Amino acid sequence: MNTDRWDEFEQRVSVEESMHVDCEPLAWPPPHAQMLWLAERNANTLAAIAALEERRADLAEDDSPLMQEMLRMDAKLTALVDIVNQLLVPSSTLPPRQLLRFNAVGALLPAGMVPPGDAVILRLRFDLCRSLPLELPAQIARRFDDGHTFVVFTLLSDVLGDAIERLVFRHHRRKVAEARQLPHVT
């Protein structure tokens, strides 16, 4: 077991959420062509998710006619993305939601989700863009007594690692903001 990677995972900001996720066994080491294809696809997926998240975050309440028109266009684009997601990936074909924690180092996966073997492809489907899963090659690093499994993402370029860090930061920041808006129960 590589405790250094676990310690690095624990020290970084992580996002914990319920999402459509699955994984399948991966022959290790994967072919170089497959890794290049995954890297390009993941870069495109992360860029699409970032664009959709930033577009929604940038549109604040404003009374100006230009801002109102942008809000109308945003609503139309959101509806279009939702329609495309439904057509490409109907809810009935999505894997079940699982609660997991992840960052650019790896992911802590729930019991029973990880197939036998030493390596997997982990597919994360974000609600904004579930037709484009983030497909991350990972190696099993640690199995816990409670059934959870820690996987370490492998062969990530610095660019992909940085993009995942930004994604995690945005999700973490959003959860903190939502928590602050909830009324405190005393």
Side-chain angles (χ1 to χ4, degrees):
M1 174 188 69
N2 188 339
T3 58
D4 291 341
R5 297 299 288 184
W6 172 250
D7 292 341
E8 184 181 357
F9 174 77
E10 284 284 283
Q11 292 171 7
R12 290 191 183 199
V13 173
S14 296
V15 67
E16 184 172 6
E17 62 186 59
S18 177
M19 57 192 328
H20 297 283
V21 60
D22 67 337
C23 58
E24 68 181 45
L26 174 67
W28 197 259
H32 184 67
Q34 180 184 15
M35 296 309 296
L36 291 175
W37 179 81
L38 280 172
E40 183 176 343
R41 181 181 169 117
N42 286 333
N44 292 337
T45 299
L46 288 164
I49 292 168
L52 289 169
E53 287 179 344
E54 288 172 8
R55 177 180 53 83
R56 290 180 182 181
D58 288 344
L59 296 175
E61 291 298 320
D62 192 343
D63 290 334
S64 74
L66 179 60
M67 185 55 73
Q68 292 302 319
E69 184 59 29
M70 287 181 65
L71 288 171
R72 280 191 288 279
M73 288 176 61
D74 176 63
K76 290 176 184 178
L77 186 55
T78 299
L80 183 60
V81 168
D82 288 343
I83 291 168
V84 170
N85 274 331
Q86 285 294 336
L87 290 174
L88 293 178
V89 184
S91 296
S92 62
T93 64
L94 288 170
R97 285 189 178 272
Q98 306 264 357
L99 182 65
L100 74 145
R101 194 171 118 211
F102 72 96
N103 60 30
V105 174
L108 187 60
L109 305 174
M113 190 181 134
V114 180
D118 296 328
V120 296
I121 289 278
L122 177 65
R123 288 187 196 88
L124 305 174
R125 288 172 180 82
F126 296 87
D127 289 334
L128 280 174
C129 196
R130 49 180 211 229
S131 59
L132 293 175
L134 190 58
E135 297 178 293
L136 301 165
Q139 289 187 297
I140 310 301
R142 187 174 185 180
R143 296 182 192 270
F144 293 93
D145 291 338
D146 67 358
H148 283 83
T149 301
F150 172 58
V151 297
V152 175
F153 300 139
T154 55
L155 306 174
L156 288 181
S157 68
D158 289 342
V159 172
L160 282 177
D162 291 345
I164 293 172
E165 288 284 340
R166 287 189 298 276
L167 173 83
V168 167
F169 179 75
R170 284 191 312 270
H171 281 241
H172 179 74
R173 183 180 63 198
R174 186 178 317 110
K175 286 192 179 284
V176 169
E178 288 170 0
R180 286 183 180 162
Q181 291 178 349
L182 292 175
H184 294 289
V185 177
T186 55

